[in-house]
Amino acid sequence: MGIVLKESSSLPKVRTLATGIGDAALSTAQQGIYHQLKIEEYEKNYQDYNPHGAFARYYEKHAGKEGSGGKMDSQLVQHVGFHHHNLILEPPPGQFDIIFCRNVTIYFDTNAKLKLLEKFHEHLHEGGYLIIGFYNALVPLIDKSKYKFTDMDAKIFQKI
């Protein structure tokens, strides 16, 4: 997302919040370090987005205890606020234009998923977007009276 924002000249205008319950994962994300398999996946995604661009200019090779990978350019990470947050027990910290929920709900039962979708709806601006991960299995639970299905393949929904 940081690359898209940078290439569209939007990076300085956007505030991004990344949350999680695991301090180790938040620390790794804050450092911008990704395993080599993720770097390869992101390279492919980047080429789909910008076939004439060079993804390699956005990271440097990195070797750590988890194996080899890449460390993202600090400009892509420094605009992000990283916060410990429990999606189930705590309300979202503010109002948002876009909420990305990337595959965390695979660990939740149906009641928890429904509560989370309600929280997202309450904290998403009118016309804002909810983008969910492939494995979240939230699509059947999304209320069509609250969201317009914008792109089913990418799992993008717009708040009505």
Side-chain angles (χ1 to χ4, degrees), residues 25-43:
L26 281 172
S27 175
T28 300
Q30 193 166 18
Q31 295 173 51
I33 297 172
Y34 294 91
H35 189 276
Q36 183 60 36
L37 292 174
K38 283 294 183 188
I39 293 293
E40 291 169 9
E41 177 185 339
Y42 298 154
E43 170 82 35

Side-chain angles (χ1 to χ4, degrees), residues 8-147:
S8 67
S9 300
S10 300
L11 193 59
K13 304 173 211 167
V14 174
R15 289 182 340 173
T16 303
L17 176 65
T19 66
I21 197 165
D23 292 332
L26 281 172
S27 175
T28 300
Q30 193 166 18
Q31 295 173 51
I33 297 172
Y34 294 91
H35 189 276
Q36 183 60 36
L37 292 174
K38 283 294 183 188
I39 293 293
E40 291 169 9
E41 177 185 339
Y42 298 154
E43 170 82 35
K44 182 192 172 309
N45 292 343
Y46 179 78
Q47 290 305 309
D48 290 344
Y49 157 72
N50 184 357
H52 304 292
F55 181 72
R57 68 185 168 158
Y58 292 110
Y59 76 95
E60 58 187 43
K61 291 190 184 290
H62 175 80
K65 63 182 177 184
E66 303 283 326
S68 64
K71 180 172 174 35
M72 300 309 291
D73 182 327
S74 63
Q75 288 183 7
L76 302 175
V77 182
Q78 66 191 13
H79 80 287
V80 179
F82 294 88
H83 298 283
H84 185 274
H85 179 253
N86 185 316
L87 285 172
I88 298 299
L89 300 179
E90 302 167 338
Q95 291 293 123
F96 302 95
D97 295 314
I98 302 173
I99 295 175
F100 289 89
C101 184
R102 305 297 296 174
N103 301 325
V104 67
T105 64
I106 59 174
Y107 306 105
F108 297 172
D109 65 19
T110 300
N111 287 335
K113 290 176 185 179
L114 289 169
K115 286 178 186 176
L116 183 61
L117 284 171
E118 188 59 37
K119 285 181 185 183
F120 286 165
H121 189 265
E122 290 172 10
H123 291 271
L124 193 60
H125 289 133
E126 188 82 19
Y129 292 92
L130 172 63
I131 303 171
I132 61 175
F134 180 76
Y135 297 106
N136 271 330
L138 290 174
V139 174
L141 302 176
I142 292 180
D143 186 340
K144 293 180 179 115
S145 70
K146 295 181 178 183
Y147 290 98

